[in-house]
Amino acid sequence: TNIPGEYCHTLVVTDSYGLSSEIDEVCHTVTLQPNQKPVAMVEGKVNDAGIVPVETELVPDGIEFELTIPHDGDPNTNTVEFEFDGLDSYDPENCDINYEWKDSFGNNIGSSSIVLIDLQAGQYDYSLTVVDSDGLESNNKEITVIVNPEENNPPIADAGDDAEYEIAHDCAPGYPNITIDLDGRSSQDP
């Protein structure tokens, strides 16, 4: 049975001569272990090539990620691919769980343990809820992602070292032209 309660049964044993035993009663109490809520866990990282630091801060009912779009020398790229990872979510009874990722408008953005999303500079709010096989939902894990715009520092000009030139008098009327080399190869764009 899977219905809680107390179940009692009696037993009488009779031998081949017709003698019967006294009545013996056995009772079994059936209870149901309460289903515990699954737990939603979230990690986040930038999924683009290269190392992009992501600051992570736990906040009440959730987590906050902050990052800066990496400077790649291309003014036309202004997004990052951000990865939400819910693989550490779990059910205390080890039941299978389903993932429900939503944006701040309640739109479903994914149902797998990992979700990828392209983000421009701005602040974005999401949530993750995991649901166990009995339909019991976790508490919402609120997620805020703050994406700072790509940093672009001005280039540094380096025209080389100062120099002095003396044009020698060569007894001809006027002075001859000289060539001055300019070298900006040490300029850089940090």
Side-chain angles (χ1 to χ4, degrees):
T1 185
N2 63 358
I3 300 172
E6 184 173 74
Y7 299 90
C8 295
H9 305 278
T10 58
L11 175 65
V12 175
V13 179
T14 304
D15 67 13
S16 58
Y17 293 96
L19 289 175
S20 296
S21 68
E22 292 185 18
I23 297 174
D24 188 28
E25 182 177 75
V26 63
C27 292
H28 299 274
T29 303
V30 176
T31 59
L32 298 178
Q33 176 186 17
N35 185 9
Q36 298 179 51
K37 283 184 174 187
V39 178
M41 305 289 287
V42 178
E43 292 183 14
K45 69 177 184 176
V46 172
N47 204 35
D48 292 333
I51 305 291
V52 177
V54 177
E55 294 180 30
T56 303
E57 180 180 347
L58 294 177
V59 294
D61 298 323
I63 192 165
E64 183 176 285
F65 300 108
E66 185 170 357
L67 61 121
T68 300
I69 295 174
H71 183 68
D72 63 359
D74 182 351
N76 296 313
T77 57
N78 60 355
T79 64
V80 292
E81 185 177 61
F82 197 76
E83 178 181 298
F84 293 119
D85 180 344
L87 281 172
D88 288 338
S89 300
Y90 64 94
D91 181 79
E93 293 93 14
N94 292 321
C95 296
D96 291 337
I97 55 175
N98 294 311
Y99 300 84
E100 296 177 359
W101 298 92
K102 295 189 178 186
D103 65 15
S104 60
F105 303 106
N107 299 315
N108 188 347
I109 62 166
S111 58
S112 62
S113 59
I114 294 177
V115 173
L116 301 175
I117 190 161
D118 284 327
L119 299 175
Q120 295 182 340
Q123 180 172 323
Y124 303 89
D125 295 312
Y126 301 97
S127 66
L128 170 63
T129 304
V130 291
V131 182
D132 72 11
S133 55
D134 285 331
L136 186 60
E137 294 183 353
S138 68
N139 293 334
N140 278 347
K141 180 66 79 169
E142 302 296 330
I143 307 158
T144 298
V145 181
I146 300 168
V147 180
N148 298 312
E150 179 177 350
E151 293 179 353
N152 186 21
N153 297 317
I156 299 168
D158 185 345
D161 295 329
D162 292 337
E164 292 185 18
Y165 300 91
E166 182 177 19
I167 301 174
H169 187 284
D170 63 357
C171 298
Y175 287 91
N177 289 333
I178 65 167
T179 301
I180 298 176
D181 293 325
L182 299 176
D183 185 358
R185 290 180 290 180
S186 295
S187 299
Q188 58 181 314
D189 187 1

